[in-house]
Amino acid sequence: VLKELMVKFNTLYENGQPLIAELKDLEVIDNPFWGVKAEQTQKINLTLIYYNMPKKFSEQVPLEVSGGIDEDGMFLNPEFRSVPHLSPDGANALFYSRAQINLMGHLGSWMVDQAWDGLKSKDGKVVFEGFGKIFK
């Protein structure tokens, strides 16, 4: 299962897409802490989103904001260099600028919008079927 996820994320990364993938028909296991009891026939689909900086996003950000991008699509502007890898630690969050927080929000919105109808590899193979299919 982890290899499948790695292959999907690598394929999307190479195509400048957001890293969103669905793993299908996973077995549910007992989790006494949360009161989950597995049933032999119970399977779930799990959609995973990993915040990265897709080139297709960073290439659209105006130069006066991004300061340009490097070969990985990361911003050269020092204020945004660590986006989207901002620490979720509450103490650090006090030091983020409004612009950094807004950029994270725009990225998240773009990721969902980009993936709504699905995501494909460079050769056109469907890697993620889309949020539209999940929420219809």
Side-chain angles (χ1 to χ4, degrees):
V1 175
L2 290 179
K3 183 177 181 182
E4 175 188 350
L5 179 63
M6 180 192 72
V7 168
K8 287 181 176 186
F9 277 180
N10 285 343
T11 299
L12 292 168
Y13 179 82
E14 290 169 0
N15 199 24
Q17 298 282 355
L19 304 184
I20 302 172
E22 185 176 37
L23 301 175
K24 294 185 176 192
D25 298 322
L26 300 176
E27 287 186 36
V28 175
I29 61 172
D30 285 334
N31 185 329
F33 182 82
W34 293 108
V36 174
K37 293 188 186 278
E39 297 178 24
Q40 290 182 345
T41 59
Q42 188 178 19
K43 303 276 185 175
I44 63 162
N45 296 340
L46 178 66
T47 301
L48 299 155
I49 301 174
Y50 181 82
Y51 262 77
N52 70 317
M53 183 53 68
K55 271 193 174 180
K56 288 185 178 180
F57 175 81
S58 60
E59 290 172 344
Q60 295 177 31
V61 174
L63 186 60
E64 61 271 12
V65 174
S66 70
I69 59 172
D70 66 16
E71 64 277 356
D72 295 320
M74 298 298 289
F75 299 123
L76 297 178
N77 179 339
E79 182 179 9
F80 301 122
R81 187 78 183 144
S82 60
V83 172
H85 307 293
L86 301 177
S87 171
D89 181 342
N92 289 338
L94 297 173
F95 300 105
Y96 298 143
S97 70
R98 287 183 181 161
Q100 287 172 313
I101 293 168
N102 285 337
L103 187 56
M104 287 290 292
H106 286 296
L107 173 59
S109 178
W110 179 88
M111 290 170 72
V112 171
D113 184 64
Q114 189 77 9
W116 192 259
D117 294 321
L119 298 169
K120 296 180 181 179
S121 64
K122 284 184 180 180
D123 61 2
K125 180 182 174 191
V126 174
V127 179
F128 174 63
E129 293 176 343
F131 290 112
K133 185 172 181 180
I134 295 170
F135 294 112
K136 66 177 179 174

